[in-house]
Amino acid sequence: MTTLADIQAAALRIRDFVHRTPVLTSATLDHELGASLFAKCENLQKCGAFKARGACNAVFALDAATAQRGVITHSSGNHGAALAYAARARGVPCTVVMPDTAPEVKIAAVKSYGASVHFCKASERDAVCARLQQETGAEMVHPFENAHVIAGQGTAALELLEAVPDLDALITPVGGGGLCAGTAVVMRSLRPQAMMLGAEPEAVDDAARSMATGVRQPRVDGAKSWADGLMTGLGEPNFRLLKQHAVRVVTCSESAMLDAAKFFLQRMKIVVEPSAATVLACLRAIAPELRGKRVGMILSGGNTDFRWMQ
């Protein structure tokens, strides 16, 4: 199980390869929610998302012989681009299996870092990835079920608490659960009494149902959501960490998520993809509980083609 020491070690390993992203505030948002909000802007991270943290930690933790065989993963975009970036930084090959429904902006990003891209149906990505791994001998770097990836993602929360040490609550999006799990480890270690929250669209609510039942639920097949980065199911080690650290998962509607994304664009002048905007949408849903509190939110990414704008 990932520990605070693992995350602190990750922070040292990746510090030369990722940005220390800014923490922004909004008087308008504070007034609306009656709380003090602090947005950790991973939308301004390398590759446009927090995924650079976990990918860099995983790639640079490999021994030389393993790294030279290259790395492989499956991804809807952000992790794929991050792994391609990390592999290029270390000078090793990278293969990314992507669903044929992935946004063009994310496909272009993966290719721009020099990765070899293979497309398939979303339901086939595990099988295709396994076949290519066997053919190439590359090291699989799972988007979220990987200890080094989880530790790397937790470094965003570590930085946020260094900047704002007295948070009463912190929220991250939940897809596979790497970011939320790593963040929960940091929060329970450094702010044990604070609220640890996860944000998820109602259309893909497997994490919320998993936490409510105490049993990991399967991903929602055939779901439609603008949160393309959160369509995957909650990972097994990630679920165990969420349970261990008492994470509460809040859900939001598609319209609330898009309204939140538009708020960031129109009022805070930053591009936040719908997956990341779930954090604000879910905070708005529980606003009465937050009054007078200091609340952190990790804006997980900003890679979007704006098809959701209406």
Side-chain angles (χ1 to χ4, degrees):
M1 297 290 275
T2 304
T3 67
L4 180 64
D6 295 326
I7 296 170
Q8 292 169 329
L12 293 175
R13 185 178 289 121
I14 69 176
R15 62 184 176 184
D16 293 333
F17 304 99
V18 300
H19 292 314
R20 189 180 183 90
T21 52
V23 178
L24 300 186
T25 59
S26 166
T28 300
L29 203 51
D30 288 355
H31 178 73
E32 176 191 339
L33 296 180
S36 298
L37 273 74
F38 303 88
K40 178 66 169 168
C41 292
E42 290 296 291
N43 56 312
L44 303 179
Q45 184 55 263
K46 293 280 189 179
C47 309
F50 75 96
K51 296 282 191 176
R53 296 176 180 273
C56 283
N57 192 44
V59 169
F60 282 92
L62 295 175
D63 63 76
T66 302
Q68 287 307 307
R69 295 198 300 270
V71 291
I72 186 171
T73 195
H74 54 73
S75 168
S76 63
N78 284 347
H79 175 68
L83 190 67
Y85 162 74
R88 189 178 71 175
R90 190 162 179 185
V92 301
C94 178
T95 299
V96 180
V97 176
M98 301 187 73
D100 50 20
T101 55
E104 285 296 329
V105 65
K106 295 188 176 183
I107 296 170
V110 174
K111 290 181 176 179
S112 74
Y113 292 113
S116 172
V117 179
H118 295 259
F119 296 101
C120 67
K121 293 181 179 179
S123 60
E124 299 173 354
R125 58 188 176 181
D126 286 322
V128 173
C129 200
R131 175 175 58 79
L132 291 172
Q133 182 186 14
Q134 186 174 30
E135 292 174 0
T136 63
E139 180 74 5
M140 174 65 182
V141 180
H142 196 279
F144 46 87
E145 290 186 327
N146 178 294
H148 284 109
V149 168
I150 294 171
Q153 317 305 31
T155 62
L158 202 61
E159 289 179 9
L160 177 55
L161 285 181
E162 288 172 0
V164 191
D166 54 349
L167 289 179
D168 299 306
L170 179 55
I171 188 169
T172 79
V174 184
L179 176 62
C180 195
T183 299
V185 172
V186 172
M187 284 297 283
R188 289 292 172 250
S189 299
L190 302 178
R191 293 289 293 170
Q193 302 307 313
M195 297 170 64
M196 180 60 220
L197 304 168
E200 189 176 46
E202 292 172 355
V204 281
D205 66 344
D206 59 287
R209 288 183 290 108
S210 295
M211 297 306 294
T213 62
V215 178
R216 185 166 69 105
Q217 301 295 310
R219 69 187 296 271
V220 181
D221 289 325
K224 293 184 179 180
S225 174
W226 287 110
D228 61 277
L230 306 180
M231 299 295 282
T232 188
L234 181 64
E236 192 278 330
N238 317 78
F239 174 56
R240 285 191 286 121
L241 283 167
L242 265 60
K243 281 184 65 176
Q244 177 183 343
H245 299 298
V247 176
R248 173 186 171 191
V249 179
V250 181
T251 60
C252 64
S253 67
E254 292 292 301
S255 60
M257 176 176 65
L258 298 187
D259 285 346
K262 291 173 184 176
F263 175 89
F264 286 120
L265 185 62
Q266 296 168 349
R267 300 304 297 266
M268 294 183 69
K269 314 306 178 187
I270 55 175
V271 175
V272 175
E273 63 186 270
S275 297
T278 55
V279 293
L280 175 54
C282 289
L283 290 179
R284 283 172 163 170
I286 60 169
E289 300 178 43
L290 305 175
R291 296 198 179 280
K293 297 185 183 299
R294 295 169 66 80
V295 183
M297 51 183 177
I298 297 182
L299 306 182
S300 55
N303 295 318
T304 180
D305 56 11
F306 294 104
R307 285 183 295 165
W308 50 271
M309 288 288 286
Q310 299 175 3

